[in-house]
């Protein structure tokens, strides 16, 4: 599903006063979200406080109060099944900040259906018509919007490697969850 509310950001604002964030526990580990006003710009998994601080530091957020816990919980609950997720994603604005290739790659990845997978090479062909699987992998590792840009759905052609910025075990868990919770049509 392509989210129609992508907003391209040239860069993230330097003023950390415009950011808000929240976090919640989930069956996939702790999840944090980062917002600029009503635009979601970050979704991260973390297991330790240091990992959380590292994710937030990208947005120049330090120890400000976490004011978006309800929105984070809403995101986690929406990920319970395909229809809830699609409804949630179509109701929010998502801010992307990256190179042209990264943004095109993330938009192509956002079109991969819930519970389905696509190889790095297939995404590359869709984006540029050229073999650039490594570039797609690099775009995935630069993705700051876990779940929203579902890089966990991009796999190696041989299915032998499960690389994932947020840890390989989590990628497997997310894919298993999606396959179990597909909507019955």
């Amino acid at each position: 599903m392509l989210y129609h509310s992508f907003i391209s950001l040239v860069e993230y604002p330097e003023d950390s006063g415009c950011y808000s964030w929240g976090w919640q526990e989930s069956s996939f580990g702790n999840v944090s979200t980062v917002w600029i006003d009503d635009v979601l710009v970050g979704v991260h998994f973390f297991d330790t406080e240091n990992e959380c601080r590292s994710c937030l530091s990208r947005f120049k957020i330090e120890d400000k109060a976490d004011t978006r816990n309800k929105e984070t919980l809403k995101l986690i609950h929406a990920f319970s099944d395909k229809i809830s997720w699609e409804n949630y994603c179509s109701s929010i604005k998502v801010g992307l900040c990256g190179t042209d290739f990264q943004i095109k790659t993330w938009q192509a990845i956002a079109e991969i259906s819930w519970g389905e997978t696509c190889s790095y090479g297939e995404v590359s062909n869709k984006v540029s018509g050229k073999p650039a699987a490594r570039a797609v992998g690099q775009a995935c590792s630069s993705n700051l919007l876990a779940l929203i840009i579902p890089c966990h759905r991009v796999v190696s052609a041989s299915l032998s490697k499960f690389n994932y910025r947020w840890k390989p075990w989590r990628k497997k868990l997310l894919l298993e969850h999606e396959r179990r919770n597909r909507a019955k049509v």
Side-chain angles (χ1 to χ4, degrees):
M1 171 183 176
L2 180 61
Y3 308 104
H4 298 286
S5 55
F6 277 139
I7 298 169
S8 291
L9 303 171
V10 175
E11 60 185 36
Y12 295 111
E14 291 293 321
D15 177 16
S16 61
C18 63
Y19 291 103
S20 57
W21 70 282
W23 77 275
Q24 292 288 330
E25 294 177 1
S26 80
S27 56
F28 311 107
N30 298 319
V31 178
S32 68
T33 60
V34 179
W35 303 77
I36 299 175
D37 299 320
D38 65 340
V39 179
L40 180 63
V41 294
V43 178
H44 309 99
F45 290 109
F46 67 95
D47 297 315
T48 67
E49 186 176 329
N50 283 341
E51 286 178 0
C52 181
R53 287 179 193 272
S54 175
C55 293
L56 295 176
S57 71
R58 173 68 170 91
F59 300 98
K60 299 176 179 53
I61 297 173
E62 297 193 12
D63 287 328
K64 291 188 176 184
D66 47 347
T67 58
R68 294 289 188 134
N69 290 342
K70 287 182 184 176
E71 286 89 345
T72 307
L73 187 60
K74 194 174 177 181
L75 177 141
I76 292 166
H77 286 304
F79 195 69
S80 63
D81 65 78
K82 179 181 178 182
I83 293 179
S84 297
W85 186 245
E86 288 178 354
N87 289 338
Y88 174 79
C89 288
S90 66
S91 72
I92 62 170
K93 296 177 191 168
V94 177
L96 298 177
C97 186
T99 66
D100 287 343
F101 181 82
Q102 286 173 328
I103 290 173
K104 287 177 185 175
T105 299
W106 296 332
Q107 289 173 330
I109 291 169
E111 293 178 353
I112 302 170
S113 297
W114 173 280
E116 300 297 322
T117 58
C118 195
S119 74
Y120 293 95
E122 290 170 326
V123 173
S124 166
N125 286 332
K126 186 173 188 174
V127 171
S128 67
K130 300 175 185 173
R134 280 188 188 210
V136 169
Q138 289 171 339
C140 286
S141 69
S142 299
N143 174 20
L144 298 178
L145 288 153
L147 300 178
I148 300 294
I149 306 298
C151 288
H152 62 277
R153 297 181 191 153
V154 184
V155 298
S156 67
S158 67
L159 298 177
S160 61
K161 290 185 182 178
F162 266 83
N163 295 329
Y164 187 51
R165 176 185 183 170
W166 311 108
K167 301 187 179 155
W169 65 264
R170 190 170 280 130
K171 181 174 191 162
K172 288 181 183 179
L173 192 64
L174 291 167
L175 290 171
E176 289 168 3
H177 168 79
E178 287 184 354
R179 288 180 182 131
R180 275 194 319 270
N181 294 291
R182 289 184 200 192
K184 306 280 190 253
V185 180

